[in-house]
Amino acid sequence: MAALVLVEVSIHDPELYEEYKKHTLATITKFGGRFVVRGAKTESLEGDWNPERLVVLEFPNVQTAKDWWNSPEYSVAKQIRYQAAQSKMLVVESVGL
């Protein structure tokens, strides 16, 4: 079953975050992932959730998403993201629409 990785990002160093983005796509692709949403404008419909940046990735399954997140390939990008932004990240199984 496909998996989605949802990421809420608050960027405090935009220049460094651009460097992070340069490193990320190849790592996602290597693990069979793709961007579903990449920083598009959000609009809150309920509650006070209003992320500055929202990213949604799709992977073939939860284990592959975890393998990507834990991979040596992504670790370089992840360290850059830790310096450039604050993030919250979830992985969930997709209903396979």
Side-chain angles (χ1 to χ4, degrees):
M1 181 175 292
L4 298 176
V5 173
L6 296 89
V7 189
E8 180 181 345
V9 183
S10 178
I11 302 166
H12 53 260
D13 186 335
E15 188 174 310
L16 189 57
Y17 194 81
E18 288 300 315
E19 188 66 26
Y20 162 76
K21 288 172 26 179
K22 291 177 190 176
H23 291 277
T24 305
L25 180 59
T27 69
I28 292 167
T29 303
K30 180 176 180 178
F31 286 84
R34 70 179 186 94
F35 283 98
V36 177
V37 174
R38 188 174 190 182
K41 183 180 179 199
T42 63
E43 179 181 347
S44 180
L45 298 177
E46 288 188 30
D48 61 359
W49 188 32
N50 192 20
E52 176 184 321
R53 182 176 179 84
L54 184 67
V55 177
V56 179
L57 307 170
E58 182 181 48
F59 287 92
N61 54 57
V62 168
Q63 187 57 55
T64 303
K66 289 178 178 181
D67 290 345
W68 162 76
W69 189 84
N70 286 304
S71 71
E73 296 87 351
Y74 184 58
S75 67
V76 172
K78 192 177 357 179
Q79 291 306 313
I80 295 170
R81 179 171 51 83
Y82 289 161
Q83 294 174 47
Q86 296 228 335
S87 304
K88 296 177 184 174
M89 188 179 297
L90 298 170
V91 61
V92 296
E93 287 186 343
S94 171
V95 294
L97 297 175

